[in-house]
Amino acid sequence: MAITINGTGSITGLTAGGLPDGSVTSADLAAGAITSGALPAGSILQVVQTVKRDVTSTTATSYEDISGMSRTITPVAADSNILVQAMVTLGADGTYAANSYIQLVRGSTAIFSGTETGRIQTTISMMAYGTGSGADFHYSTLTEPITFLDDPTYTLGDELTYKLQWADSSSSSTLYLNRSAASDNSARPSAVSSIILMEVAA
């Protein structure tokens, strides 16, 4: 079939793939012309982030939310995976060395947890070393990374909330986010924590 350019500006007789390679550039594409469903598996469809710059603390011995360490994402495609990346900086003080526990939660469900029975199931288990009177204990911080590819079940339009929770094994200890246990002064740095969610096409 001959190619015909009509007076209305339309073209007939052009088969799919008939344009020379490189003849259509990204600037020629209308906004929204390529939908998320047309992207290959592994494509990043959206990225959201929460950054926690201030300090918070807890004496809880059972899991509670870490203030400011949550983020919500609304998937734009069906059956996407959610890549969670988080970084937390912790300090601790108390009469005894403290075990601090962190877990990753989607909604109200802990994910990326161990399965061994009889233990606290955690994403990260961090032990601050020393004693309450030891300088190493008071001035040390540990920065812990979390990376997990989640495969949630959802309906388009659903919001998925991911958050970090923490707990301390010792009732006589205090955990701190973004600082060491020692009192603040100009000689000690201020840390930062964050949580990033990336929707990954399935």
Side-chain angles (χ1 to χ4, degrees):
M1 178 185 294
I3 296 176
T4 303
I5 300 177
N6 302 304
T8 59
S10 62
I11 300 175
T12 57
L14 185 65
T15 60
L19 293 175
D21 291 345
S23 60
V24 177
T25 67
S26 59
D28 297 319
L29 298 174
I34 299 179
T35 64
S36 58
L39 296 173
S43 297
I44 303 300
L45 306 182
Q46 62 171 317
V47 180
V48 295
Q49 175 182 246
T50 289
V51 177
K52 173 77 169 174
R53 301 181 187 278
D54 59 331
V55 173
T56 190
S57 63
T58 188
T59 57
T61 56
S62 58
Y63 281 121
E64 66 177 15
D65 295 352
I66 303 178
S67 175
M69 290 299 290
S70 67
R71 183 69 206 203
T72 297
I73 190 170
T74 303
V76 297
D79 301 321
S80 291
N81 296 319
I82 304 297
L83 179 61
V84 183
Q85 293 184 321
M87 186 74 71
V88 291
T89 299
L90 300 174
D93 67 5
T95 305
Y96 306 102
N99 288 304
S100 63
Y101 301 102
I102 296 176
Q103 67 177 1
L104 175 63
V105 176
R106 180 195 343 105
S108 59
T109 303
I111 56 177
F112 193 39
S113 296
T115 58
E116 186 175 358
T117 60
R119 300 181 182 272
I120 297 177
Q121 295 180 4
T122 64
T123 297
I124 299 170
S125 175
M126 184 275 284
M127 176 177 284
Y129 49 89
T131 66
S133 59
D136 285 344
F137 185 80
H138 275 295
Y139 299 112
S140 65
T141 59
L142 289 179
T143 299
E144 300 284 359
I146 299 172
T147 302
F148 177 63
L149 185 63
D150 189 29
D151 183 16
T153 298
Y154 62 88
T155 301
L156 280 178
D158 288 351
E159 291 186 343
L160 303 177
T161 299
Y162 291 84
K163 57 188 177 181
L164 295 178
Q165 296 182 330
W166 59 357
D168 184 2
S169 66
S170 172
S171 59
S172 60
S173 298
T174 301
L175 301 181
Y176 295 91
L177 182 74
N178 292 343
R179 55 162 276 193
S180 66
S183 300
D184 286 330
N185 65 46
S186 60
R188 300 186 183 97
S190 175
V192 63
S193 301
S194 67
I195 182 168
I196 300 171
L197 306 178
M198 289 179 274
E199 182 180 357
V200 182

